[in-house]
Every structure is written in C-alpha cells, then in structure tokens.
C-alpha cells in the first residue's frame, strides 16, 4: 500500500497552497541541507561547521 499518483498530486497541491510558490525553493534547499548533514553524520564525516 504505497502512494499513488493521485495522492502525490494532492500532497503537492496542499503544499503549494500552504507555502506559496516563492517559499518552495527555500524549503527544498533547507531539506537538502538537512539530508546531506544526516548522511554525513551517518558516514562519520565531519560537517562543514566542524571542518573550520
């Protein structure tokens, strides 16, 4: 029981309504940074803040 196309489209529409088109790139950038930091932490690599 996974997500089908109608469910994904509904989620996208709700996100657009809640945040508007201008905030979406900022949210995705923040999410991408969070995922990268999480993966780096799992691999034991120091983050950019720790390298300084």
């Amino acid at each position: 029981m996974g997500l089908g196309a109608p469910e994904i489209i509904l989620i996208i529409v709700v996100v657009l309504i809640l945040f508007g088109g201008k905030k979406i790139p900022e949210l995705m950038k923040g999410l991408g940074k969070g995922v990268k930091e999480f993966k780096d932490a799992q691999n034991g690599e120091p983050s950019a803040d720790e390298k300084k």
Side-chain angles (χ1 to χ4, degrees), residues 3-25:
L3 291 176
E7 290 87 1
I8 293 174
I9 292 171
L10 179 64
I11 291 169
I12 291 171
V13 169
V14 169
V15 168
L16 282 172
I17 290 171
L18 289 176
F19 297 108
K22 293 184 179 182
K23 285 285 186 182
I24 301 298

Side-chain angles (χ1 to χ4, degrees), residues 25-39:
E26 295 174 22
L27 291 172
M28 293 300 111
K29 184 178 179 182
L31 182 65
K33 281 185 178 181
V35 169
K36 183 181 183 311
E37 288 179 11
F38 180 74
K39 286 183 180 181

Side-chain angles (χ1 to χ4, degrees), residues 45-52:
E45 299 174 13
S47 67
D49 294 337
E50 294 173 359
K51 290 180 183 176
K52 292 181 180 178

